[in-house]
Amino acid sequence: MKFEDRIPEKYKKTGDITTLQLNITEKCNLRCKHCHVMKNSENLEMSKETMQDCLKFLDNHKMKTVDITGGEPTTHPEIVWFIEECFKRVEEVIIRTNATNIEKNQELMDLLDKEKAKIVVSLPCYTQDNVDSQRGNGVFDKVIANLIRLNEMGYGTDKELDLVYNPLGGFLPPEQSNLQLDYERELKKKNVVFSNLFTITNIPIGYFRDFLVENGEYDDYMKLLEDNYNEDNVQNLMCRYQISVDSLGNLHDCDFHLAEKVTMNDYISIKDLIDVDDLTRKIVWKDYCYGCSAESGSSCGGALDE
Ligand code: SF4
Ligand code: SF4
Protein backbone atom coordinates (compact mmCIF):
# COMPACT_ATOMS: atom_id res chain seq x y z
CA MET A 1 0.00 0.00 0.00
CA LYS A 2 1.16 3.56 -0.65
CA PHE A 3 2.54 5.24 2.47
CA GLU A 4 0.21 8.20 2.03
CA ASP A 5 -2.82 5.92 2.24
CA ARG A 6 -1.72 4.59 5.65
CA ILE A 7 -1.48 7.99 7.38
CA PRO A 8 -4.47 9.35 9.30
CA GLU A 9 -5.81 12.47 7.58
CA LYS A 10 -5.07 14.72 10.61
CA TYR A 11 -1.33 14.00 10.32
CA LYS A 12 -0.98 14.74 6.63
CA LYS A 13 -0.38 18.40 7.46
CA THR A 14 2.39 19.91 9.55
CA GLY A 15 2.02 20.93 13.18
CA ASP A 16 3.76 24.06 14.50
CA ILE A 17 7.11 24.52 12.80
CA THR A 18 9.93 24.72 15.35
CA THR A 19 13.06 23.85 13.34
CA LEU A 20 14.77 25.36 10.34
CA GLN A 21 17.11 22.73 8.88
CA LEU A 22 19.71 24.09 6.49
CA ASN A 23 21.78 22.07 4.07
CA ILE A 24 24.49 24.70 3.60
CA THR A 25 26.75 22.66 1.36
CA GLU A 26 26.57 19.64 -0.91
CA LYS A 27 30.34 19.20 -0.63
CA CYS A 28 31.72 16.40 1.52
CA ASN A 29 35.20 14.96 2.01
CA LEU A 30 33.79 11.42 2.48
CA ARG A 31 31.84 8.99 0.28
CA CYS A 32 30.02 6.75 2.77
CA LYS A 33 28.27 3.69 1.38
CA HIS A 34 25.00 4.48 3.18
CA CYS A 35 24.93 8.16 2.16
CA HIS A 36 21.56 9.45 0.99
CA VAL A 37 22.85 12.93 0.15
CA MET A 38 25.87 12.78 -2.12
CA LYS A 39 24.49 10.84 -5.07
CA ASN A 40 22.64 13.86 -6.48
CA SER A 41 25.22 16.36 -5.22
CA GLU A 42 26.26 19.11 -7.61
CA ASN A 43 28.82 20.39 -5.08
CA LEU A 44 26.72 23.50 -4.49
CA GLU A 45 27.30 25.75 -1.49
CA MET A 46 24.74 28.08 0.06
CA SER A 47 25.56 31.69 -0.86
CA LYS A 48 25.86 34.38 1.81
CA GLU A 49 22.80 36.03 0.27
CA THR A 50 20.70 32.88 0.82
CA MET A 51 22.05 32.61 4.36
CA GLN A 52 20.89 36.19 4.91
CA ASP A 53 17.42 35.22 3.61
CA CYS A 54 17.38 32.39 6.18
CA LEU A 55 18.28 34.91 8.91
CA LYS A 56 15.48 37.23 7.74
CA PHE A 57 13.09 34.28 8.01
CA LEU A 58 14.31 33.70 11.57
CA ASP A 59 13.80 37.39 12.37
CA ASN A 60 10.14 37.07 11.36
CA HIS A 61 9.37 33.59 12.76
CA LYS A 62 10.06 32.31 16.24
CA MET A 63 11.98 29.04 15.76
CA LYS A 64 13.45 26.98 18.57
CA THR A 65 16.21 25.36 16.54
CA VAL A 66 18.48 25.87 13.56
CA ASP A 67 19.85 22.54 12.38
CA ILE A 68 22.91 22.96 10.13
CA THR A 69 23.81 20.05 7.91
CA GLY A 70 25.30 19.13 4.53
CA GLY A 71 27.46 17.52 2.92
CA GLU A 72 30.05 18.50 5.49
CA PRO A 73 28.87 21.90 6.79
CA THR A 74 32.05 22.74 8.69
CA THR A 75 33.85 23.25 5.35
CA HIS A 76 31.59 26.18 4.40
CA PRO A 77 33.67 29.42 4.36
CA GLU A 78 30.90 31.39 6.15
CA ILE A 79 30.14 28.78 8.83
CA VAL A 80 31.52 30.77 11.78
CA TRP A 81 29.72 34.00 10.88
CA PHE A 82 26.53 32.08 10.19
CA ILE A 83 26.51 30.15 13.49
CA GLU A 84 27.10 33.41 15.38
CA GLU A 85 24.13 35.02 13.60
CA CYS A 86 21.92 31.99 14.30
CA PHE A 87 22.75 32.13 18.02
CA LYS A 88 21.36 35.69 18.08
CA ARG A 89 17.99 34.33 16.87
CA VAL A 90 17.35 30.85 18.29
CA GLU A 91 18.04 29.01 21.53
CA GLU A 92 19.49 25.89 19.91
CA VAL A 93 21.98 25.55 17.06
CA ILE A 94 22.70 22.00 15.91
CA ILE A 95 25.77 21.26 13.80
CA ARG A 96 25.89 17.88 12.06
CA THR A 97 29.39 16.83 11.10
CA ASN A 98 31.37 13.75 10.16
CA ALA A 99 34.06 15.19 12.50
CA THR A 100 36.97 14.10 10.32
CA ASN A 101 38.38 17.57 9.65
CA ILE A 102 36.90 20.05 12.13
CA GLU A 103 40.22 20.51 13.94
CA LYS A 104 41.56 22.24 10.80
CA ASN A 105 39.11 25.14 11.21
CA GLN A 106 40.55 26.89 14.28
CA GLU A 107 38.07 29.76 14.14
CA LEU A 108 35.23 27.24 14.28
CA MET A 109 36.86 25.32 17.13
CA ASP A 110 37.23 28.59 19.08
CA LEU A 111 33.54 29.38 18.50
CA LEU A 112 32.43 25.90 19.58
CA ASP A 113 34.59 26.31 22.69
CA LYS A 114 32.95 29.66 23.50
CA GLU A 115 29.33 28.78 22.61
CA LYS A 116 27.07 25.95 23.66
CA ALA A 117 26.17 24.42 20.32
CA LYS A 118 24.69 20.97 19.98
CA ILE A 119 27.04 18.78 17.95
CA VAL A 120 25.83 15.64 16.20
CA VAL A 121 28.53 13.33 14.84
CA SER A 122 27.80 10.39 12.57
CA LEU A 123 29.54 7.24 13.80
CA PRO A 124 27.81 4.14 12.39
CA CYS A 125 29.61 1.74 14.72
CA TYR A 126 32.02 1.71 17.67
CA THR A 127 34.50 -0.56 15.88
CA GLN A 128 37.21 0.70 13.57
CA ASP A 129 36.67 -2.07 10.99
CA ASN A 130 32.97 -1.38 10.54
CA VAL A 131 33.35 2.40 10.39
CA ASP A 132 36.27 2.29 7.96
CA SER A 133 34.55 -0.24 5.71
CA GLN A 134 31.50 2.02 5.40
CA ARG A 135 33.22 5.42 5.37
CA GLY A 136 36.82 4.90 4.22
CA ASN A 137 40.17 3.95 5.71
CA GLY A 138 41.37 6.09 8.60
CA VAL A 139 37.98 7.69 9.27
CA PHE A 140 37.44 6.03 12.66
CA ASP A 141 40.74 7.27 14.12
CA LYS A 142 40.14 10.82 12.87
CA VAL A 143 36.65 10.90 14.41
CA ILE A 144 37.86 9.53 17.75
CA ALA A 145 40.65 12.16 17.89
CA ASN A 146 38.11 14.93 17.28
CA LEU A 147 35.60 13.53 19.76
CA ILE A 148 38.36 13.74 22.37
CA ARG A 149 39.02 17.38 21.36
CA LEU A 150 35.28 18.13 21.69
CA ASN A 151 35.20 16.38 25.08
CA GLU A 152 38.00 18.71 26.22
CA MET A 153 35.70 21.67 25.44
CA GLY A 154 32.91 20.20 27.57
CA TYR A 155 30.96 18.50 24.77
CA GLY A 156 29.59 15.20 26.01
CA THR A 157 29.38 16.52 29.60
CA ASP A 158 28.29 20.19 29.98
CA LYS A 159 27.37 20.60 26.32
CA GLU A 160 25.48 18.18 24.12
CA LEU A 161 27.47 15.83 21.88
CA ASP A 162 25.36 13.18 20.18
CA LEU A 163 26.41 10.27 18.01
CA VAL A 164 24.45 8.78 15.13
CA TYR A 165 24.25 5.08 14.40
CA ASN A 166 22.77 3.71 11.20
CA PRO A 167 22.61 0.04 10.19
CA LEU A 168 25.42 -1.28 8.02
CA GLY A 169 22.94 -2.96 5.64
CA GLY A 170 19.29 -3.60 4.84
CA PHE A 171 17.94 -4.10 8.36
CA LEU A 172 16.29 -1.97 11.03
CA PRO A 173 18.33 -0.40 13.84
CA PRO A 174 18.48 -2.23 17.19
CA GLU A 175 16.82 -0.73 20.27
CA GLN A 176 18.36 2.72 20.84
CA SER A 177 18.92 2.75 24.62
CA ASN A 178 20.51 -0.73 24.63
CA LEU A 179 22.84 0.20 21.80
CA GLN A 180 23.80 3.40 23.63
CA LEU A 181 25.09 1.26 26.51
CA ASP A 182 27.30 -0.68 24.06
CA TYR A 183 28.65 2.55 22.56
CA GLU A 184 29.33 3.99 26.03
CA ARG A 185 31.22 0.88 27.13
CA GLU A 186 33.34 0.65 23.98
CA LEU A 187 34.08 4.36 23.54
CA LYS A 188 35.06 4.69 27.20
CA LYS A 189 38.02 2.47 26.30
CA LYS A 190 39.04 5.24 23.84
CA ASN A 191 38.48 7.96 26.49
CA VAL A 192 35.44 9.33 24.66
CA VAL A 193 32.19 10.38 26.32
CA PHE A 194 29.00 11.54 24.59
CA SER A 195 25.46 12.59 25.52
CA ASN A 196 23.04 10.53 23.42
CA LEU A 197 23.13 7.92 20.72
CA PHE A 198 20.59 8.39 17.92
CA THR A 199 19.68 5.34 15.88
CA ILE A 200 18.58 6.28 12.38
CA THR A 201 16.94 3.95 9.88
CA ASN A 202 18.54 3.94 6.43
CA ILE A 203 16.11 5.47 3.97
CA PRO A 204 16.21 3.61 0.63
CA ILE A 205 17.41 6.50 -1.52
CA GLY A 206 20.79 7.70 -2.84
CA TYR A 207 23.81 5.41 -2.57
CA PHE A 208 21.99 3.19 -0.08
CA ARG A 209 19.26 2.48 -2.64
CA ASP A 210 21.96 1.61 -5.21
CA PHE A 211 23.56 -0.75 -2.68
CA LEU A 212 20.23 -2.51 -2.10
CA VAL A 213 19.50 -2.81 -5.82
CA GLU A 214 23.00 -4.14 -6.61
CA ASN A 215 22.59 -6.80 -3.91
CA GLY A 216 19.04 -7.74 -4.97
CA GLU A 217 17.73 -6.57 -1.58
CA TYR A 218 15.67 -3.52 -2.52
CA ASP A 219 12.23 -5.18 -2.63
CA ASP A 220 12.85 -7.09 0.61
CA TYR A 221 13.97 -3.92 2.37
CA MET A 222 10.90 -1.98 1.22
CA LYS A 223 8.72 -4.86 2.44
CA LEU A 224 10.53 -4.86 5.79
CA LEU A 225 9.81 -1.13 6.21
CA GLU A 226 6.18 -1.49 5.18
CA ASP A 227 5.59 -4.57 7.38
CA ASN A 228 6.91 -2.62 10.37
CA TYR A 229 4.79 0.49 9.78
CA ASN A 230 3.96 1.95 13.20
CA GLU A 231 1.17 4.49 13.28
CA ASP A 232 2.18 5.66 16.78
CA ASN A 233 5.18 7.38 15.18
CA VAL A 234 3.32 9.31 12.52
CA GLN A 235 2.39 12.37 14.54
CA ASN A 236 6.07 12.84 15.46
CA LEU A 237 7.58 12.51 11.99
CA MET A 238 10.20 15.25 11.72
CA CYS A 239 8.66 16.69 8.52
CA ARG A 240 5.67 17.77 10.63
CA TYR A 241 7.79 20.22 12.64
CA GLN A 242 10.53 21.41 10.33
CA ILE A 243 11.40 23.11 7.09
CA SER A 244 14.41 21.96 5.13
CA VAL A 245 16.33 24.42 2.94
CA ASP A 246 18.83 23.34 0.28
CA SER A 247 21.99 25.10 -0.86
CA LEU A 248 20.05 27.14 -3.43
CA GLY A 249 17.49 28.26 -0.85
CA ASN A 250 14.79 25.91 -2.20
CA LEU A 251 12.36 24.33 0.25
CA HIS A 252 11.69 20.67 1.08
CA ASP A 253 9.72 18.82 3.75
CA CYS A 254 12.84 17.05 5.05
CA ASP A 255 16.46 16.22 4.33
CA PHE A 256 15.48 13.03 2.47
CA HIS A 257 13.16 14.86 0.10
CA LEU A 258 15.90 17.45 -0.30
CA ALA A 259 18.35 14.73 -1.36
CA GLU A 260 15.79 13.37 -3.83
CA LYS A 261 14.99 16.90 -5.07
CA VAL A 262 11.34 16.52 -4.01
CA THR A 263 10.16 20.07 -3.42
CA MET A 264 7.67 21.38 -0.86
CA ASN A 265 4.01 22.04 -1.66
CA ASP A 266 2.98 25.69 -2.14
CA TYR A 267 6.34 27.46 -1.64
CA ILE A 268 9.55 27.28 -3.64
CA SER A 269 12.21 29.31 -1.86
CA ILE A 270 13.02 30.50 1.67
CA LYS A 271 12.60 34.02 0.24
CA ASP A 272 8.89 33.18 -0.32
CA LEU A 273 8.45 32.29 3.36
CA ILE A 274 10.03 35.37 4.94
CA ASP A 275 6.74 37.25 5.15
CA VAL A 276 4.30 34.30 5.32
CA ASP A 277 2.41 34.14 8.65
CA ASP A 278 0.96 30.63 8.61
CA LEU A 279 3.68 28.05 7.99
CA THR A 280 1.41 24.97 8.11
CA ARG A 281 1.34 23.01 4.85
CA LYS A 282 0.41 19.66 3.36
CA ILE A 283 3.39 17.31 3.34
CA VAL A 284 4.51 15.47 0.20
CA TRP A 285 4.63 11.71 0.87
CA LYS A 286 6.76 9.06 -0.85
CA ASP A 287 6.97 5.34 -0.18
CA TYR A 288 10.49 5.66 1.29
CA CYS A 289 8.67 7.55 4.12
CA TYR A 290 7.99 4.07 5.54
CA GLY A 291 11.60 4.24 6.77
CA CYS A 292 10.70 7.05 9.19
CA SER A 293 7.71 5.30 10.71
CA ALA A 294 8.94 1.69 10.86
CA GLU A 295 9.15 -0.02 14.26
CA SER A 296 10.68 2.52 16.72
CA GLY A 297 10.56 5.30 14.15
CA SER A 298 13.45 7.40 12.91
CA SER A 299 14.34 11.07 12.63
CA CYS A 300 17.39 13.34 12.73
CA GLY A 301 16.98 13.09 16.50
CA GLY A 302 16.94 9.28 16.53
CA ALA A 303 14.12 6.86 17.40
CA LEU A 304 10.66 8.42 17.75
CA ASP A 305 9.33 6.18 20.52
CA GLU A 306 11.86 7.17 23.20
S1 SF4 B 1 26.92 10.27 5.00
FE1 SF4 B 1 27.53 12.34 5.59
S2 SF4 B 1 29.77 12.19 5.84
FE2 SF4 B 1 29.14 10.43 4.63
S3 SF4 B 1 29.36 11.05 2.47
FE3 SF4 B 1 27.24 11.46 3.09
S4 SF4 B 1 27.24 13.60 3.74
FE4 SF4 B 1 29.38 12.91 3.74
S1 SF4 C 1 11.01 10.89 4.44
FE1 SF4 C 1 10.38 10.93 6.61
S2 SF4 C 1 10.65 13.04 7.27
FE2 SF4 C 1 10.64 13.02 5.02
S3 SF4 C 1 8.53 13.44 4.40
FE3 SF4 C 1 8.79 11.23 4.50
S4 SF4 C 1 8.16 10.67 6.60
FE4 SF4 C 1 8.52 12.85 6.57
Side-chain angles (χ1 to χ4, degrees):
M1 191 189 284
K2 287 177 78 173
F3 182 78
E4 183 167 5
D5 296 337
R6 299 285 284 272
I7 311 174
E9 209 52 46
K10 62 181 173 180
Y11 296 137
K12 287 186 178 173
K13 276 178 70 176
T14 56
D16 288 340
I17 303 300
T18 58
T19 299
L20 187 67
Q21 187 174 62
L22 303 169
N23 187 317
I24 64 168
T25 179
E26 295 182 355
K27 295 180 183 174
C28 186
N29 57 318
L30 300 184
R31 285 292 175 275
C32 305
K33 286 183 187 162
H34 65 284
C35 183
H36 67 268
V37 184
M38 296 307 290
K39 185 170 179 197
N40 295 326
S41 164
E42 295 171 55
N43 279 328
L44 297 170
E45 242 172 17
M46 190 176 277
S47 66
K48 193 162 183 182
E49 190 190 349
T50 300
M51 287 177 154
Q52 277 161 335
D53 287 335
C54 295
L55 297 173
K56 282 183 204 157
F57 170 87
L58 293 172
D59 287 336
N60 285 2
H61 299 90
K62 180 82 189 132
M63 293 284 124
K64 175 175 175 276
T65 303
V66 170
D67 184 345
I68 301 174
T69 182
E72 176 49 39
T74 63
T75 61
H76 194 292
E78 300 291 352
I79 183 77
V80 172
W81 164 79
F82 189 60
I83 292 172
E84 284 174 334
E85 291 299 318
C86 289
F87 266 120
K88 293 176 190 167
R89 292 163 171 88
V90 292
E91 62 188 77
E92 182 178 70
V93 178
I94 301 175
I95 300 150
R96 295 181 191 272
T97 173
N98 62 38
T100 51
N101 275 329
I102 46 169
E103 82 288 357
K104 293 191 178 142
N105 188 338
Q106 192 54 50
E107 223 189 324
L108 175 64
M109 294 299 265
D110 291 344
L111 178 71
L112 296 177
D113 197 13
K114 186 178 83 173
E115 295 282 3
K116 201 169 185 170
K118 176 172 164 178
I119 302 180
V120 181
V121 174
S122 40
L123 188 68
C125 190
Y126 46 74
T127 71
Q128 179 167 21
D129 284 353
N130 280 341
V131 170
D132 287 358
S133 74
Q134 192 178 49
R135 319 200 88 185
N137 287 338
V139 167
F140 183 78
D141 284 345
K142 284 184 183 174
V143 175
I144 294 296
N146 277 330
L147 290 175
I148 290 170
R149 287 186 177 98
L150 291 169
N151 282 171
E152 286 165 359
M153 296 178 194
Y155 286 95
T157 47
D158 303 333
K159 309 181 198 180
E160 196 165 333
L161 172 64
D162 301 320
L163 303 181
V164 172
Y165 161 91
N166 61 277
L168 294 157
F171 52 92
L172 293 170
E175 208 268 323
Q176 186 168 274
S177 50
N178 285 339
L179 188 63
Q180 171 152 345
L181 296 176
D182 294 342
Y183 265 68
E184 282 170 354
R185 186 192 63 241
E186 293 304 316
L187 292 181
K188 203 171 165 191
K189 296 176 191 167
K190 307 263 176 208
N191 299 314
V192 168
V193 292
F194 63 97
S195 313
N196 306 295
L197 178 75
F198 297 151
T199 57
I200 296 191
T201 302
N202 287 324
I203 302 298
I205 57 175
Y207 288 132
F208 184 63
R209 184 182 192 280
D210 291 351
F211 163 84
L212 292 170
V213 171
E214 278 161 23
N215 289 288
E217 296 175 20
Y218 178 76
D219 290 343
D220 286 347
Y221 189 66
M222 287 303 289
K223 185 169 183 315
L224 177 75
L225 299 182
E226 188 173 344
D227 287 349
N228 284 281
Y229 172 73
N230 182 353
E231 195 169 298
D232 293 345
N233 295 323
V234 171
Q235 66 173 313
N236 295 323
L237 293 171
M238 61 183 175
C239 47
R240 299 196 66 246
Y241 304 100
Q242 75 175 40
I243 290 168
S244 209
V245 186
D246 69 22
S247 300
L248 292 172
N250 294 328
L251 301 171
H252 309 266
D253 289 323
C254 71
D255 196 43
F256 303 120
H257 281 1
L258 181 153
E260 290 292 284
K261 303 198 184 294
V262 175
T263 49
M264 186 184 280
N265 275 324
D266 302 332
Y267 303 104
I268 295 171
S269 153
I270 188 71
K271 265 186 199 295
D272 304 334
L273 279 190
I274 292 172
D275 294 319
V276 169
D277 290 331
D278 181 4
L279 297 176
T280 53
R281 63 183 193 274
K282 279 192 176 171
I283 297 165
V284 181
W285 304 103
K286 297 283 172 186
D287 285 343
Y288 55 75
C289 295
Y290 273 116
C292 295
S293 73
E295 207 169 60
S296 292
S298 179
S299 72
C300 290
L304 295 174
D305 66 354
E306 304 229 345

